Protein backbone atom coordinates (compact mmCIF):
# COMPACT_ATOMS: atom_id res chain seq x y z
CA UNK A 1 0.00 0.00 0.00
CA UNK A 2 1.23 3.48 -0.85
CA UNK A 3 0.30 6.93 0.54
CA UNK A 4 0.06 9.79 -1.96
CA UNK A 5 0.18 13.43 -0.88
CA UNK A 6 1.18 16.66 -2.61
CA UNK A 7 0.41 20.38 -2.61
CA UNK A 8 0.08 19.94 -6.38
CA UNK A 9 -3.32 18.28 -6.61
CA UNK A 10 -2.92 17.46 -10.32
CA UNK A 11 -0.15 14.91 -9.72
CA UNK A 12 -2.17 12.72 -7.34
CA UNK A 13 -4.48 10.94 -9.78
CA UNK A 14 -1.70 10.11 -12.30
CA UNK A 15 0.44 8.81 -9.41
CA UNK A 16 -2.47 6.74 -8.13
CA UNK A 17 -2.99 5.29 -11.60
CA UNK A 18 0.67 4.28 -11.92
CA UNK A 19 0.63 2.67 -8.48
CA UNK A 20 -2.74 0.95 -8.92
CA UNK A 21 -1.74 -0.47 -12.28
CA UNK A 22 1.35 -1.90 -10.56
CA UNK A 23 -0.92 -3.69 -8.07
CA UNK A 24 -0.66 -1.37 -5.05
CA UNK A 25 -3.52 -0.18 -2.90
CA UNK A 26 -3.46 3.62 -2.70
CA UNK A 27 -4.36 6.05 0.09
CA UNK A 28 -4.68 9.60 -1.29
CA UNK A 29 -4.82 12.66 0.94
CA UNK A 30 -7.42 15.35 0.27
CA UNK A 31 -8.21 16.75 -2.16
CA UNK A 32 -7.92 13.64 -4.28
CA UNK A 33 -7.65 15.58 -7.51
CA UNK A 34 -7.51 18.93 -9.23
CA UNK A 35 -10.66 18.60 -11.24
CA UNK A 36 -13.02 16.60 -13.43
CA UNK A 37 -10.34 14.70 -15.37
CA UNK A 38 -8.73 13.44 -12.16
CA UNK A 39 -12.08 12.31 -10.76
CA UNK A 40 -12.68 10.27 -13.91
CA UNK A 41 -9.29 8.60 -13.49
CA UNK A 42 -10.17 7.46 -9.96
CA UNK A 43 -13.60 6.17 -10.91
CA UNK A 44 -12.15 4.24 -13.84
CA UNK A 45 -9.42 2.69 -11.69
CA UNK A 46 -11.83 1.55 -8.98
CA UNK A 47 -14.24 0.19 -11.60
CA UNK A 48 -11.33 -1.89 -12.91
CA UNK A 49 -10.67 -3.33 -9.46
CA UNK A 50 -8.16 -0.92 -7.88
CA UNK A 51 -8.35 -0.29 -4.13
CA UNK A 52 -8.24 3.48 -3.53
CA UNK A 53 -9.30 5.44 -0.45
CA UNK A 54 -8.39 8.53 1.55
CA UNK A 55 -9.82 12.03 1.26
CA UNK A 56 -10.68 14.26 4.20
CA UNK A 57 -10.41 12.67 7.64
CA UNK A 58 -13.52 14.62 8.63
CA UNK A 59 -15.63 12.45 6.33
CA UNK A 60 -14.64 9.46 8.45
CA UNK A 61 -15.77 10.70 11.86
CA UNK A 62 -18.45 8.68 13.59
CA UNK A 63 -21.81 10.31 12.98
CA UNK A 64 -22.95 12.40 15.98
CA UNK A 65 -25.82 11.20 18.14
CA UNK A 66 -28.24 13.64 16.45
CA UNK A 67 -29.08 11.16 13.71
CA UNK A 68 -32.40 12.87 13.01
CA UNK A 69 -30.63 16.11 12.08
CA UNK A 70 -32.44 17.98 9.32
CA UNK A 71 -29.72 20.47 8.60
CA UNK A 72 -26.73 22.28 9.94
CA UNK A 73 -23.86 24.69 9.45
CA UNK A 74 -20.35 23.50 8.66
CA UNK A 75 -17.58 26.09 8.57
CA UNK A 76 -13.79 26.12 8.26
CA UNK A 77 -11.00 28.66 7.92
CA UNK A 78 -8.49 28.10 5.14
CA UNK A 79 -8.11 27.74 1.39
CA UNK A 80 -11.45 27.53 -0.44
CA UNK A 81 -10.63 24.14 -1.99
CA UNK A 82 -8.01 22.62 0.30
CA UNK A 83 -10.01 23.30 3.46
CA UNK A 84 -13.41 23.70 1.85
CA UNK A 85 -13.22 19.97 1.15
CA UNK A 86 -13.04 19.48 4.94
CA UNK A 87 -16.26 21.43 5.54
CA UNK A 88 -18.14 19.58 2.79
CA UNK A 89 -16.78 16.23 3.99
CA UNK A 90 -17.96 16.91 7.54
CA UNK A 91 -21.44 17.74 6.24
CA UNK A 92 -21.51 14.41 4.39
CA UNK A 93 -20.34 12.52 7.48
CA UNK A 94 -23.15 14.02 9.55
CA UNK A 95 -25.98 14.16 7.00
CA UNK A 96 -25.26 11.47 4.41
CA UNK A 97 -24.19 11.49 0.77
CA UNK A 98 -27.51 12.21 -0.95
CA UNK A 99 -26.54 15.74 -2.02
CA UNK A 100 -28.31 16.81 -5.21
CA UNK A 101 -27.48 20.48 -5.74
CA UNK A 102 -25.76 23.50 -4.24
CA UNK A 103 -26.48 27.22 -4.32
CA UNK A 104 -23.81 29.82 -3.55
CA UNK A 105 -24.57 32.62 -1.10
CA UNK A 106 -21.21 34.34 -1.38
CA UNK A 107 -18.14 33.64 -3.44
CA UNK A 108 -15.76 36.55 -2.99
CA UNK A 109 -11.98 36.09 -3.14
CA UNK A 110 -10.76 33.76 -0.41
CA UNK A 111 -14.26 32.81 0.81
CA UNK A 112 -17.13 30.60 -0.28
CA UNK A 113 -20.53 30.19 1.38
CA UNK A 114 -23.19 27.92 -0.08
CA UNK A 115 -26.28 25.91 0.73
CA UNK A 116 -26.31 22.19 -0.08
CA UNK A 117 -29.58 20.32 -0.66
CA UNK A 118 -30.06 16.60 0.00
CA UNK A 119 -32.57 14.31 -1.74
CA UNK A 120 -34.20 13.62 1.64
CA UNK A 121 -35.12 17.29 2.08
CA UNK A 122 -32.11 18.05 4.28
CA UNK A 123 -30.38 21.40 3.83
CA UNK A 124 -27.00 22.53 5.15
CA UNK A 125 -24.92 25.70 5.03
CA UNK A 126 -21.24 25.16 4.16
CA UNK A 127 -18.81 28.02 4.76
CA UNK A 128 -15.13 28.52 3.94
CA UNK A 129 -13.52 31.66 5.33
CA UNK A 130 -10.01 33.09 4.83
CA UNK A 131 -7.15 32.09 7.14
CA UNK A 132 -7.70 33.84 10.44
CA UNK A 133 -7.63 31.74 13.60
CA UNK A 134 -8.03 28.44 11.76
CA UNK A 135 -9.90 25.39 12.98
CA UNK A 136 -13.27 23.80 12.33
CA UNK A 137 -16.66 25.11 13.28
CA UNK A 138 -19.77 22.92 13.05
CA UNK A 139 -23.33 22.70 14.36
CA UNK A 140 -26.35 20.52 13.78
CA UNK A 141 -29.97 21.61 13.97
CA UNK A 142 -32.03 18.77 15.43
CA UNK A 143 -35.74 18.08 15.09
CA UNK A 144 -36.07 18.17 18.88
CA UNK A 145 -34.93 21.78 19.00
CA UNK A 146 -35.89 23.59 15.78
CA UNK A 147 -34.08 26.86 15.35
CA UNK A 148 -31.37 25.89 17.82
CA UNK A 149 -27.93 24.46 17.10
CA UNK A 150 -26.17 21.69 18.95
CA UNK A 151 -22.34 21.76 18.69
CA UNK A 152 -20.66 18.78 17.07
CA UNK A 153 -17.74 17.63 19.21
CA UNK A 154 -14.80 16.90 16.91
CA UNK A 155 -11.76 15.36 18.58
CA UNK A 156 -8.94 16.50 16.30
CA UNK A 157 -6.39 14.45 18.25
CA UNK A 158 -7.90 11.17 17.00
CA UNK A 159 -8.90 12.15 13.45
CA UNK A 160 -5.97 10.53 11.66
CA UNK A 161 -6.12 7.35 13.75
CA UNK A 162 -9.88 6.98 13.23
CA UNK A 163 -9.46 7.58 9.51
CA UNK A 164 -6.76 4.94 9.11
CA UNK A 165 -8.54 2.38 11.29
CA UNK A 166 -11.55 2.54 8.97
CA UNK A 167 -9.74 2.84 5.63
CA UNK A 168 -6.90 0.34 6.04
CA UNK A 169 -8.93 -2.91 6.22
CA UNK A 170 -10.41 -2.21 2.77
CA UNK A 171 -7.08 -1.10 1.34
CA UNK A 172 -5.45 -4.28 2.65
CA UNK A 173 -8.21 -6.40 1.08
CA UNK A 174 -9.74 -7.29 4.42
CA UNK A 175 -13.12 -5.56 4.25
CA UNK A 176 -15.51 -3.39 2.27
CA UNK A 177 -15.06 0.38 1.91
CA UNK A 178 -17.10 2.60 4.21
CA UNK A 179 -17.18 5.20 1.44
CA UNK A 180 -17.19 4.47 -2.29
CA UNK A 181 -14.86 6.45 -4.53
CA UNK A 182 -17.91 8.45 -5.65
CA UNK A 183 -18.60 9.34 -2.01
CA UNK A 184 -14.99 10.40 -1.42
CA UNK A 185 -15.04 12.66 -4.47
CA UNK A 186 -18.33 14.33 -3.46
CA UNK A 187 -16.73 17.03 -1.26
CA UNK A 188 -14.61 18.17 -4.21
CA UNK A 189 -17.60 18.11 -6.55
CA UNK A 190 -19.58 20.15 -4.01
CA UNK A 191 -16.87 22.82 -3.85
CA UNK A 192 -16.51 22.91 -7.64
CA UNK A 193 -20.28 23.20 -8.09
CA UNK A 194 -20.47 25.96 -5.47
CA UNK A 195 -17.77 27.92 -7.31
CA UNK A 196 -19.74 27.59 -10.56
CA UNK A 197 -22.89 28.63 -8.71
CA UNK A 198 -21.16 31.78 -7.43
CA UNK A 199 -20.11 32.63 -10.98
CA UNK A 200 -23.53 31.97 -12.52
CA UNK A 201 -25.69 33.39 -9.78
CA UNK A 202 -27.88 30.27 -9.81
CA UNK A 203 -27.93 26.82 -8.22
CA UNK A 204 -25.92 23.96 -9.76
CA UNK A 205 -26.95 20.31 -9.90
CA UNK A 206 -24.20 17.89 -8.90
CA UNK A 207 -25.17 15.61 -11.78
CA UNK A 208 -23.81 18.16 -14.26
CA UNK A 209 -20.86 16.83 -16.22
CA UNK A 210 -19.30 20.20 -17.05
CA UNK A 211 -15.48 19.84 -16.95
CA UNK A 212 -13.93 21.73 -14.05
CA UNK A 213 -10.33 22.39 -13.04
CA UNK A 214 -9.26 23.92 -9.73
CA UNK A 215 -6.64 26.67 -9.75
CA UNK A 216 -3.88 24.43 -8.46
CA UNK A 217 -1.01 26.69 -9.55
CA UNK A 218 -2.36 29.56 -7.46
CA UNK A 219 -2.70 27.29 -4.42
CA UNK A 220 0.88 26.05 -4.78
CA UNK A 221 2.15 29.65 -4.74
CA UNK A 222 0.12 30.45 -1.61
CA UNK A 223 1.16 27.21 0.06
CA UNK A 224 4.86 27.75 -0.57
CA UNK A 225 4.60 31.28 0.80
CA UNK A 226 2.74 30.04 3.89
CA UNK A 227 5.44 27.48 4.70
CA UNK A 228 8.30 29.86 3.95
CA UNK A 229 9.36 28.34 0.63
CA UNK A 230 7.98 30.95 -1.75
Amino acid sequence: MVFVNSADWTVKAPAARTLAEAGAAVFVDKPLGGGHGDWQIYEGLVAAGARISGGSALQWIHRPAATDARGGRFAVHGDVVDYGVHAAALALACLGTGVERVSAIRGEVGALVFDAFWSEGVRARVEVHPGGPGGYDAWLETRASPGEFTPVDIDLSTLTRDHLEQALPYLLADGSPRWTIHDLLLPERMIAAAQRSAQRGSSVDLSEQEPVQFDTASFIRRYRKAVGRG
Side-chain angles (χ1 to χ4, degrees):
M1 190 190 78
V2 183
F3 286 79
V4 175
N5 189 18
S6 175
D8 183 351
W9 309 326
T10 63
V11 305
K12 294 180 179 179
R17 177 168 54 194
T18 299
L19 293 163
E21 289 175 349
V26 188
F27 183 106
V28 188
D29 189 37
K30 63 82 196 167
L32 278 79
H36 186 262
D38 293 336
W39 304 334
Q40 289 185 312
I41 289 174
Y42 285 117
E43 290 172 337
L45 288 170
V46 172
R51 296 190 306 280
I52 299 174
S53 191
S56 167
L58 287 172
Q59 191 165 347
W60 297 76
I61 67 168
H62 297 290
R63 187 172 179 174
T67 54
D68 63 342
R70 63 181 182 184
R73 173 177 175 258
F74 304 87
V76 297
H77 291 88
D79 180 83
V80 167
V81 177
D82 198 48
Y83 267 60
V85 165
H86 278 322
L90 181 59
L92 296 174
C94 293
L95 303 173
T97 58
V99 180
E100 293 186 329
R101 63 185 175 92
V102 301
S103 181
I105 308 300
R106 292 202 310 275
E108 64 264 26
V109 175
L112 183 65
V113 178
F114 63 94
D115 283 337
F117 300 85
W118 274 250
S119 55
E120 301 86 357
V122 173
R123 175 178 178 173
R125 175 69 52 88
V126 179
E127 305 181 20
V128 192
H129 300 287
Y136 307 104
D137 209 9
W139 292 266
L140 288 179
E141 181 180 2
T142 65
R143 296 185 189 279
S145 55
E148 298 179 5
F149 289 101
T150 303
V152 177
D153 184 19
I154 304 170
D155 187 352
L156 300 182
S157 68
T158 65
L159 270 182
T160 300
R161 184 192 68 194
D162 292 344
H163 189 178
L164 292 174
E165 284 181 347
Q166 295 175 74
L168 288 181
Y170 158 67
L171 288 170
L172 300 176
D174 189 27
S176 301
R178 175 183 173 186
W179 300 108
T180 66
I181 193 63
H182 179 268
D183 295 337
L184 293 176
L185 292 169
L186 265 180
E188 296 169 38
R189 287 193 163 107
M190 290 170 68
I191 296 298
Q195 289 180 319
R196 293 203 303 275
S197 176
Q199 294 168 352
R200 294 182 189 176
S202 60
S203 63
V204 171
D205 196 303
L206 262 67
S207 65
E208 288 189 15
Q209 296 299 311
E210 179 181 336
V212 61
Q213 182 67 40
F214 292 129
D215 187 358
T216 313
S218 176
F219 173 76
I220 292 172
R221 290 193 296 271
R222 295 193 304 273
Y223 181 82
R224 286 177 174 169
K225 183 177 180 179
V227 298
R229 296 180 182 175

